[in-house]
Amino acid sequence: EVQLVESGGGLVQAGGSLRLSCAASGFTFDDYAIGWFRQAPGKEREGLACISSYDGSTYYASSVKGRFTASSDNAKSTVFLQMNSLKADDTAVYYCAADPRSCHRGMQYWGKGTLVTVSL
């Protein structure tokens, strides 16, 4: 059974940091692109970062570039999202997802998400 389980969300003040984790199981982790997404209330799901399965390169959305850093520990089949300088606009449910091709809206596997709330 494929599982992606996010953790690390919570309440943080603006300007603070959080580190999200995503533990993957049930598929060959090294062969999948892993993406981080978020969805704020009333908004569409937004792609934030993608770790390529080909060479491990990481790509970021302009909204988080320079503040968020995605990384992976392939030995533990776990990916991380370090989030710094958080803003109220970063409040959302954060998801990790996996796909054998690349990162896109229709990723093959999704986690259930973890809520991040940034207070002013």
Side-chain angles (χ1 to χ4, degrees):
E1 179 189 6
V2 171
Q3 283 193 318
L4 292 166
V5 181
E6 303 92 340
S7 61
L11 176 64
V12 63
Q13 286 189 330
S17 299
L18 277 177
R19 189 191 195 207
L20 305 183
S21 299
C22 171
S25 61
F27 61 97
T28 306
F29 184 81
D30 291 356
D31 292 344
Y32 279 68
I34 305 295
W36 283 100
F37 298 76
R38 70 184 177 189
Q39 188 164 19
K43 295 187 178 181
E44 291 188 357
R45 187 170 291 179
E46 175 188 12
L48 304 176
C50 179
I51 301 176
S52 169
S53 61
Y54 297 108
D55 59 5
S57 298
T58 308
Y59 305 91
Y60 298 95
S62 56
S63 58
V64 302
K65 194 170 185 178
R67 298 190 299 125
F68 291 11
T69 302
S71 60
S72 66
D73 183 340
N74 286 19
K76 296 183 178 180
S77 298
T78 300
V79 294
F80 305 97
L81 186 67
Q82 177 67 43
M83 306 186 295
N84 299 328
S85 302
L86 284 162
K87 309 172 184 179
D89 287 349
D90 294 319
T91 295
V93 178
Y94 284 70
Y95 302 88
C96 64
D99 192 273
R101 296 175 297 163
S102 62
C103 292
H104 54 93
R105 289 182 179 273
M107 302 284 279
Q108 183 173 11
Y109 302 123
W110 291 86
K112 293 183 179 181
T114 185
L115 176 63
V116 172
T117 303
V118 183
S119 64
L120 294 172

